[in-house]
Amino acid sequence: MSKSTPLNADGVAMCSHPSSGERSKSTLAKAAAALLLAGLSFESVAQDSGSGMEVFETFTAVGQGESRANNSLDLEALEIAMPGALPEKMVDKIPGVNVVTRDPFGFYEFGNDVRVRAFNIANLGVTLDGVPVGTSDPRYGSPIGRLVDSQNLTTIKVSQGAGDVTTPAYQALGGSLQYFTKDPSKEQGAYVSAAYGSFDHISLFAKYEMGEIAPGFTGYVSGSHFEFTPRGLDGLGKGMARRYEAKFKYELPSDKLDITYAITYNDRDDFDTAGLDFGEWQDAEAGNYRGTGQGYIEYTPWDYPGLGDFNYGDLSDQGRNLGPVAYIDSSVGAGEGTNAIYYDKWRNGRMDTLQRFNFDFDFEDGKSMEVVTYYQDKNNYGLWGRDQAYAQTQVRAAYMNDPSRTDIWGQLWYDADGNAIGEDGTIVTEYGEDHAIVAPGTPTYAPGVDFVPGVPGRTARDENFGGHRYGLTASYTWETENNKLIVGGWYEFDHHGTERPNYNLDGGSILGDFRYDQFNFTNYTRYIDQDVMQFWVQDTWTTMDGDLEVIIGAKALTLDRDANGFLSIGEWLKNEETFRSTKYEDMFLPQFGLLYTLNDSSEVFFNYSENMATPTSGTITTAGDTFNPDILKPEYSENFDIGIRGNIGSSSYTVQAYHVSYTDRILASAVPIDSANAGAAGNSVYQNVGGVDSWGVEASGDIATGIEGLKLSGSIAIQETTFQEDLLDSVVFIAEGDPVPTAAEGYRVEATSDPLAYEIYEAIGGNDLGNTPFLTANFDAIYTKGDWRFNFGGKFYDDVYVNTLNTQQLDSYTIFDGGIAYTGRSDTPLEGWKVSLNVSNLFDQYIWYARSYNDEDGQVLADRGRNFVLRMETKF
């Protein structure tokens, strides 16, 4: 049976988690015990929420005045964040949000798994000061960590269920993440911080506040540098990022208009990391990794010959040092690169420049308008190693399709009679695997002519991709005594180009530089243009003496997308470019909400929303000859939120429940034989394959302890997310008279209209989504005594599965963090200085995370262990 890994529209393998019917009593007991954490909190300054309730300034504030589940993270109060941590890492404090990263900082973007309830980051609306990121995909989009330094953020607002209709997004099925930067200060001054810690981590940040440059005109500039050593690359390479930002604000004397301009430049480089297949991990745990009789050790191919040529690496310290897992061939300098045959070729770089203007108009009679314009330029690269045989195969295939082509550096070798010649001078099959590829200028073969290889050894690709996008959002608000009307829209144009050429390496060495004059082949050359338009209207009607707010809204979304170029290597081999065009739209996506004030300290809320996510650009470029835009539908979701929140004395809380129905899920999978999109039977193409349902309960809160200086906060989330249909795995053809095929465990066979064709389905209906724990709980405590601050916190993460068959389980874990800080006292030489020590994984627990998910055998990755970071900072 042919097995293929189902992918979502981003090309990310899917997985699942234990079904509700299999939940053990012990797991439910964990939930009951963890509910005790939900009431932990702390008190600070009270503000007016606009709903009659008080809002307490805490680092995890509940979202009073909203008809949706809503929490915000106050980063100025959140002093316990790990220095160097990117914004994606910080939202883990919010109930219903789960973040798993491959390094302590969330730096390696391809390894970050950010989930809000049933959806990952690809299906959330993400904005920065009102500017949409478009997509958070690490290849084609802009994860938020590229666009802003964490130390320039002031607030992160998370809507777990659904962003409101005014959130600009074309792939949002669930909630939203809204990031807001600090405004420039009217006081001139500077701030500098430096941090050093485990894994050769260095973080530097400097900011200069210009003060009031002119009446109403303020600004700041900042710069940061970050570096650390990824696992497996000690002494070889470092992940590194540099970011420069500036922000200027002008408040007109009339107070009728504020104008803000901001710019961010980001330059970062990282190295790919690898994991272990679940089965290999189990073998290591049992002390017999790959049949060596060993467990977590470091070894090389020449120590254990005959076990394959790829999955070797440093498995010492229970896998914490496992990075790139292939070694340099012993024949080309054993030990030159220790781990990491292609460590300098397994690398990614991102250079981004984002500029934005915000115009805030304040008209008379409760009328206002906000206009945001932006332009982003993206320049990226991705390196990857290839062996000689792969390059030779593509070169031969290209010449077979078009013997006259001149874009390839290497040439096929013939003798004077036109016979195809192999490397040793023998006559071979033309274009076959023995047909020699020679360097240009090599003489026609004759006895005694030396072979000069056209693909001398190792090769590598240097992919270049990026482009630009620009857009505008405008939102007009008219507020009267009992009514608030918002109308607006968004337009964006996005151009993205991706070129993946492959070249020889200097001398054919795995450590050689790229020979850009020696082109072998290209995987694709894709150019994508898309126009997005979104319009919204929302009306809030207040009645019952101001106690009840009724919110009714709707949005319309349309996206036009064109793609051209060599969209696949098959097209390049034929030397035939392709043009494709598609359009997705829905002109009515409603949202309805209720917010009822019970009393001065409590309110209840309800929200219903319908959302659409357009298929990603991958669906138009990799669908193959069977692509049909009229068949592939957008994904949809229906989100229900209901809850209560309020204050009890000087404490606050929220309890909320939700249900999400996710339909028309898109995966790259086998095509049903009766499908109009089937083309060749058994072809793999993007399809709408069914749905996922999710329900859950979340609680968070803040409670004053009565102990001076002690602040506590906590949250808990329970969720169950299940596949609703089985997944087509393959189509099997039999000869007449043969028995009906059988399916492996976890699969089933279904007859088709063709008596000789059968479909094999992965029986996942009722299984749960992968790496989505049934129970999570957070708590944090901060104690301040004089000039000292102490913090301690932790998170419980329930067990998860790493395959859709729900047979490969990772255990639950509880991980703790801690820290201590000293602030210099006023009127002393240390005034303005602060030193802090933060520790993640405080007790150095050995934890394994889900790295990727597929049908049968997922991958896992070890936590790196205890991480110390010492930071000094000062203001002047």
Side-chain angles (χ1 to χ4, degrees):
M1 186 192 310
S2 172
K3 294 287 180 286
S4 61
T5 300
L7 306 175
N8 67 16
D10 293 312
V12 179
M14 301 290 291
C15 78
S16 56
H17 179 264
S19 64
S20 56
E22 297 176 346
R23 292 293 177 191
S24 66
K25 293 181 180 179
S26 62
T27 302
L28 293 175
K30 297 175 192 173
L35 279 168
L36 297 174
L37 296 174
L40 299 177
S41 150
F42 70 83
E43 170 196 3
S44 188
V45 182
Q47 305 174 58
D48 181 9
S49 70
S51 65
M53 296 173 54
E54 288 183 315
V55 180
F56 296 99
E57 287 184 352
T58 66
F59 63 80
T60 52
V62 298
Q64 286 95 332
E66 300 277 358
S67 65
R68 300 173 303 280
N70 198 299
N71 290 78
S72 63
L73 198 64
D74 181 357
L75 298 185
E76 291 182 312
L78 186 58
E79 297 179 338
I80 63 175
M82 178 62 64
L86 295 182
E88 294 95 325
K89 184 78 171 176
M90 295 180 174
V91 295
D92 202 36
K93 299 289 182 183
I94 300 294
V97 181
N98 295 313
V99 180
V100 175
T101 62
R102 292 195 203 166
D103 58 69
F105 315 100
F107 184 74
Y108 182 61
E109 296 171 335
F110 287 95
N112 291 343
D113 188 6
V114 181
R115 294 177 179 269
V116 178
R117 294 184 176 173
F119 301 106
N120 66 20
I121 192 71
N123 295 124
L124 304 175
V126 182
T127 62
L128 173 65
D129 290 333
V131 174
V133 304
T135 169
S136 296
D137 177 72
R139 281 183 52 79
Y140 298 107
S142 303
I144 191 67
R146 297 185 200 168
L147 304 180
V148 65
D149 197 291
S150 297
Q151 295 193 79
N152 280 330
L153 288 170
T154 181
T155 303
I156 304 174
K157 184 179 179 181
V158 180
S159 295
Q160 292 97 322
D164 63 31
V165 295
T166 68
T167 301
Y170 55 84
Q171 288 182 240
L173 290 172
S176 64
L177 296 170
Q178 297 173 287
Y179 296 83
F180 299 93
T181 58
K182 300 173 183 177
D183 278 340
S185 173
K186 292 186 177 181
E187 299 294 327
Q188 189 176 17
Y191 169 83
V192 177
S193 70
Y196 178 78
S198 306
F199 318 119
D200 304 314
H201 164 216
I202 296 174
S203 289
L204 305 173
F205 178 83
K207 183 176 183 178
Y208 173 60
E209 292 279 4
M210 300 178 184
E212 195 161 17
I213 305 168
F217 183 50
T218 55
Y220 67 71
V221 293
S222 71
S224 65
H225 173 88
F226 169 85
E227 64 180 64
F228 82 110
T229 299
R231 64 179 74 227
L233 292 179
D234 291 338
L236 297 175
K238 287 190 174 184
M240 193 172 296
R242 297 144 297 274
R243 192 178 298 105
Y244 307 98
E245 299 180 54
K247 187 174 183 180
F248 300 92
K249 185 173 183 178
Y250 179 52
E251 300 174 350
L252 269 67
S254 63
D255 294 330
K256 297 299 183 182
L257 174 62
D258 294 344
I259 303 174
T260 303
Y261 168 77
I263 182 171
T264 301
Y265 174 73
N266 166 77
D267 184 1
R268 52 170 289 139
D269 300 272
D270 62 54
F271 292 87
D272 292 324
T273 60
L276 285 177
D277 289 342
F278 187 88
E280 294 177 329
W281 171 62
Q282 285 190 313
D283 287 345
E285 289 275 272
N288 189 31
Y289 179 65
R290 293 175 65 85
T292 63
Q294 304 287 343
Y296 294 109
I297 62 169
E298 179 179 3
Y299 54 87
T300 60
W302 42 91
D303 290 331
Y304 297 93
L307 293 183
D309 59 1
F310 185 78
N311 282 333
Y312 295 87
D314 188 350
L315 281 175
S316 61
D317 198 13
Q318 203 161 332
R320 285 176 169 173
N321 299 308
L322 176 64
V325 293
Y327 278 70
I328 287 178
D329 288 350
S330 57
S331 61
V332 290
E336 278 185 336
T338 56
N339 290 356
I341 179 173
Y342 288 126
Y343 78 89
D344 65 333
K345 303 298 186 293
W346 290 359
R347 196 166 77 243
N348 309 284
R350 304 291 186 265
M351 289 72 73
D352 301 89
T353 302
L354 173 66
Q355 301 182 68
R356 56 196 188 273
F357 276 98
N358 290 63
F359 302 89
D360 291 313
F361 298 89
D362 185 8
F363 307 121
E364 296 179 353
D365 302 322
K367 300 170 185 176
S368 61
M369 184 169 67
E370 181 180 15
V371 178
V372 179
T373 65
Y374 57 92
Y375 178 87
Q376 183 180 0
D377 183 71
K378 297 180 283 186
N379 293 283
N380 310 315
Y381 74 83
L383 309 183
W384 186 261
R386 295 285 193 187
D387 61 23
Q388 183 185 43
Y390 184 83
Q392 290 175 333
T393 297
Q394 308 310 320
V395 171
R396 294 188 187 104
Y399 278 125
M400 180 175 63
N401 282 289
D402 183 2
S404 65
R405 65 192 304 165
T406 60
D407 54 329
I408 303 171
W409 182 80
Q411 299 172 5
L412 297 181
W413 208 15
Y414 297 88
D415 63 16
D417 297 324
N419 297 309
I421 300 299
E423 296 180 8
D424 59 358
T426 58
I427 297 175
V428 297
T429 302
E430 190 173 25
Y431 310 120
E433 62 181 15
D434 295 324
H435 195 175
I437 302 172
V438 297
T442 302
T444 299
Y445 175 77
V449 174
D450 291 331
F451 171 73
V452 182
V455 184
R458 301 287 183 174
T459 71
R461 75 176 190 226
D462 184 355
E463 181 175 17
N464 296 287
F465 53 101
H468 62 271
R469 66 186 185 105
Y470 54 82
L472 179 146
T473 69
S475 197
Y476 178 82
T477 302
W478 183 15
E479 191 167 3
T480 61
E481 182 179 359
N482 295 311
N483 201 73
K484 182 179 181 181
L485 177 67
I486 303 175
V487 294
W490 168 45
Y491 170 77
E492 178 177 283
F493 172 78
D494 189 331
H495 168 76
H496 191 93
T498 305
E499 301 175 349
R500 182 178 279 187
N502 288 249
Y503 303 95
N504 286 333
L505 296 177
D506 195 22
S509 167
I510 57 179
L511 299 180
D513 294 331
F514 281 86
R515 290 299 305 266
Y516 291 108
D517 60 332
Q518 298 183 11
F519 169 77
N520 288 321
F521 67 94
T522 188
N523 290 98
Y524 45 71
T525 303
R526 302 167 176 168
Y527 303 100
I528 304 169
D529 291 334
Q530 66 180 30
D531 291 271
V532 184
M533 286 189 291
Q534 180 179 326
F535 304 97
W536 56 78
V537 58
Q538 179 175 288
D539 189 70
T540 302
W541 177 49
T542 304
T543 185
M544 299 178 63
D545 296 327
D547 290 338
L548 177 64
E549 290 184 3
V550 182
I551 302 99
I552 300 175
K555 61 184 176 182
L557 180 63
T558 178
L559 181 146
D560 291 276
R561 180 180 291 143
D562 299 328
N564 66 84
F566 298 121
L567 303 185
S568 69
I569 192 171
E571 295 173 8
W572 178 81
L573 292 173
K574 297 176 183 177
N575 209 12
E576 298 175 355
E577 295 191 5
T578 297
F579 175 82
R580 291 181 185 155
S581 181
T582 187
K583 181 175 184 177
Y584 304 102
E585 66 178 10
D586 194 313
M587 304 310 289
F588 184 69
L589 295 165
Q591 188 166 142
F592 173 74
L594 296 172
L595 180 66
Y596 181 69
T597 302
L598 295 172
N599 49 50
D600 290 342
S601 62
S602 302
E603 61 185 21
V604 295
F605 60 90
F606 168 81
N607 194 75
Y608 167 77
S609 68
E610 295 181 13
N611 297 286
M612 178 189 83
T614 62
T616 67
S617 57
T619 60
I620 195 173
T621 60
T622 59
D625 295 335
T626 61
F627 174 75
N628 187 332
D630 298 324
I631 292 178
L632 188 67
K633 297 179 291 185
E635 299 171 304
Y636 280 88
S637 68
E638 294 183 346
N639 298 271
F640 293 87
D641 266 333
I642 189 170
I644 183 172
R645 58 194 167 217
N647 304 323
I648 300 177
S650 55
S651 306
S652 62
Y653 70 93
T654 182
V655 179
Q656 55 217 24
Y658 67 89
H659 182 269
V660 177
S661 179
Y662 170 21
T663 59
D664 295 324
R665 187 169 56 104
I666 295 174
L667 295 182
S669 59
V671 182
I673 193 169
D674 298 321
S675 169
N677 209 22
N683 188 26
S684 181
V685 70
Y686 285 105
Q687 296 283 299
N688 298 104
V689 297
V692 175
D693 278 3
S694 180
W695 64 266
V697 178
E698 300 159 352
S700 64
D702 306 293
I703 184 171
T705 64
I707 301 175
E708 183 179 358
L710 180 61
K711 307 172 182 181
L712 304 170
S713 180
S715 67
I716 184 173
I718 297 172
Q719 63 177 326
E720 189 68 35
T721 304
T722 57
F723 293 110
Q724 297 305 297
E725 286 87 17
D726 292 342
L727 177 64
L728 181 65
D729 176 78
S730 60
V731 179
V732 175
F733 293 89
I734 63 172
E736 191 168 354
D738 286 351
V740 174
T742 59
E745 183 180 358
Y747 293 79
R748 64 177 177 83
V749 179
E750 187 171 302
T752 71
S753 58
D754 183 343
L756 299 181
Y758 292 85
E759 294 170 349
I760 311 297
Y761 283 85
E762 187 178 346
I764 63 171
N767 286 4
D768 287 3
L769 198 63
N771 202 25
T772 305
F774 178 70
L775 170 66
T776 56
N778 285 282
F779 79 93
D780 287 284
I782 298 177
Y783 178 65
T784 304
K785 182 69 172 178
D787 305 321
W788 294 88
R789 189 210 69 221
F790 306 88
N791 62 271
F792 177 76
K795 177 164 187 171
F796 171 80
Y797 199 88
D798 211 349
D799 52 73
V800 296
Y801 280 115
V802 295
N803 64 344
T804 54
L805 295 184
N806 284 191
T807 59
Q808 295 182 337
Q809 186 178 29
L810 288 176
D811 290 337
S812 63
Y813 63 85
T814 304
I815 193 168
F816 297 94
D817 303 321
I820 183 172
Y822 174 79
T823 302
R825 190 170 303 175
S826 300
D827 301 323
T828 71
L830 294 179
E831 181 179 1
W833 286 87
K834 181 177 180 180
V835 60
S836 59
L837 176 66
N838 286 278
V839 188
S840 62
N841 196 352
L842 183 63
F843 301 117
D844 200 26
Q845 295 137 293
Y846 285 85
I847 297 167
W848 285 81
Y849 303 118
R851 177 187 180 270
S852 63
Y853 336 110
N854 60 22
D855 297 346
E856 297 174 350
D857 192 14
Q859 286 200 335
V860 297
L861 192 74
D863 179 83
R864 292 207 71 180
R866 185 184 290 118
N867 177 30
F868 294 91
V869 178
L870 177 68
R871 178 166 65 178
M872 295 186 65
E873 51 194 307
T874 185
K875 294 180 180 180
F876 52 91

